[in-house]
Amino acid sequence: MTAGDKRKSSAKETAGEDQDSPFGIWLSRGLHQLFDDVANEPIPDELLRLIEEDRNK
């Protein structure tokens, strides 16, 4: 295992622990309150058109 692998696994473990902590729950709820409306907005037609054009190249 390399140092990079150790950091990745440590970060994953820490992230999993943080989600269950009171701070992690508070942070998750706050982010959802701030960004759920934006994330649920439809994708603009112009952006979809640009993505389709890029796919066809």
Side-chain angles (χ1 to χ4, degrees), residues 8-28:
K8 287 178 187 175
S9 65
S10 177
K12 288 179 185 176
E13 290 169 8
T14 302
E17 291 171 9
D18 285 347
Q19 289 177 340
D20 294 334
S21 71
F23 175 76
I25 293 167
W26 170 83
L27 180 61
S28 178

Side-chain angles (χ1 to χ4, degrees), residues 42-54:
I43 299 171
D45 291 335
E46 179 67 14
L47 180 56
L48 290 173
R49 184 185 63 74
L50 291 170
I51 292 169
E52 279 301 315
E53 284 179 7
D54 187 57

